[in-house]
Amino acid sequence: SSSPVRGIVGFSMMASATAGEDGHFKLSETSVLKINKGDITKWFIDGSSDAIVNPANPRMLGGGGADGAIHRAAGPELKEACYKVPEVQPGIRCPTGEARITPGFKLPASHVIHTVGPIYDSDKDPKGSLRNAYKNCLTVAKENNIKYIAFPSISCGVYGYPYEEAATVALSTIKEFANDIKEVHFVLFADDIYDIWTKKAKELLLV
Ligand code: AR6
């Protein structure tokens, strides 16, 4: 069935769309998913109730990949804010599968939700940990009145998660927990990952 999707400001402008066209998918009566190609550091919707997700490591003080790009774009205040997140064990601010929120500082998005995905080859339950990462990002978003959230493909870089399985976990978990978040976006850097996410979304979200 088709339903109109309201126009959104900023990153992408859509007058209206049918579920499945132009990377738009229906999650519930109140929530849509959009799959975008691009650089997550540039993404925003309204600069006040929006958040990008940072695929971080448990120390939360920066790193390579998307984490490095997000810290560079946000400026040094982001690292200072991360430093202030309390350690739950020495050197661990965010255990695998959990999420923490900070302001976005110089980023166009107002918030950063930091999460830690599983290292595919060493995690005892990579599927469960990846599911927890997506779920806890959405929980933290709701607790902070975030209405628009953008995810990268968590764990699909340095942490070595296979793309197809990651897409299945990501999309099914978001479908389950998006609730009253207005728009859930993916901003995917790599063409092959974008294609896999789009294919899986058509399988899992248009039934
Ligand atoms: N925008 C969107 N996606 C991006 C961007 C970007 N600017 N840059 C990279 N990606 P990764 P992980 C994609 O390695 O696997 C860091 O060192 C990339 O193509 O960033 O969860 C942390 O500090 C890939 O598909 O995160 C941790 O130590 C996806 O983002 C570790 O890497 C995730 O790749 C986390 O590893």
Side-chain angles (χ1 to χ4, degrees):
S1 68
S2 65
S3 79
V5 176
R6 281 196 320 282
I8 48 177
V9 185
F11 187 72
S12 65
M13 232 3 228
M14 296 290 303
S16 74
T18 303
E21 288 175 10
D22 303 315
H24 279 70
F25 301 88
K26 192 168 161 177
L27 293 167
S28 72
E29 288 309 315
T30 51
S31 188
V32 297
L33 177 87
K34 178 146 196 255
I35 303 178
N36 310 283
K37 226 182 257 191
D39 176 356
I40 201 163
T41 67
K42 308 267 196 283
W43 181 93
F44 73 104
I45 297 287
D46 65 5
S48 64
S49 65
D50 49 6
I52 65 167
V53 171
N54 180 19
N57 59 62
R59 274 168 54 81
M60 266 185 73
L61 297 179
D67 190 7
I70 289 167
H71 273 270
R72 275 194 301 279
E77 283 171 302
L78 181 60
K79 193 169 170 182
E80 287 164 29
C82 287
Y83 193 78
K84 287 182 189 148
V85 172
E87 291 181 336
V88 294
Q89 286 173 51
I92 298 185
R93 292 180 181 76
C94 185
T96 301
E98 294 192 15
R100 303 287 186 269
I101 192 165
T102 66
F105 299 103
K106 292 193 171 65
L107 288 164
S110 58
H111 296 80
V112 178
I113 297 176
H114 308 260
T115 192
V116 179
I119 299 173
Y120 191 73
D121 285 338
S122 61
D123 198 283
K124 286 201 184 76
D125 176 17
K127 261 189 206 176
S129 296
L130 190 62
R131 173 181 161 86
N132 284 339
Y134 281 100
K135 179 185 171 190
N136 285 318
C137 286
L138 293 169
T139 301
V140 167
K142 288 177 230 167
E143 286 168 358
N144 288 275
N145 288 314
I146 300 298
K147 295 294 174 199
Y148 309 94
I149 185 170
F151 286 96
S153 42
I154 298 165
S155 283
C156 289
V158 176
Y159 281 0
Y161 209 108
Y163 301 159
E164 293 254 354
E165 185 183 307
T168 302
V169 173
L171 295 166
S172 58
T173 307
I174 286 169
K175 167 102 178 142
E176 194 174 348
F177 297 107
N179 303 338
D180 49 357
I181 294 182
K182 283 185 191 158
E183 295 180 17
V184 179
H185 288 221
F186 274 98
V187 182
L188 303 169
F189 214 49
D191 287 352
D192 51 349
I193 294 181
Y194 174 87
D195 291 343
I196 288 169
W197 246 252
T198 302
K199 186 188 81 175
K200 281 283 176 210
K202 286 176 181 165
E203 286 172 23
L204 296 173
L205 301 179
L206 287 183
V207 283

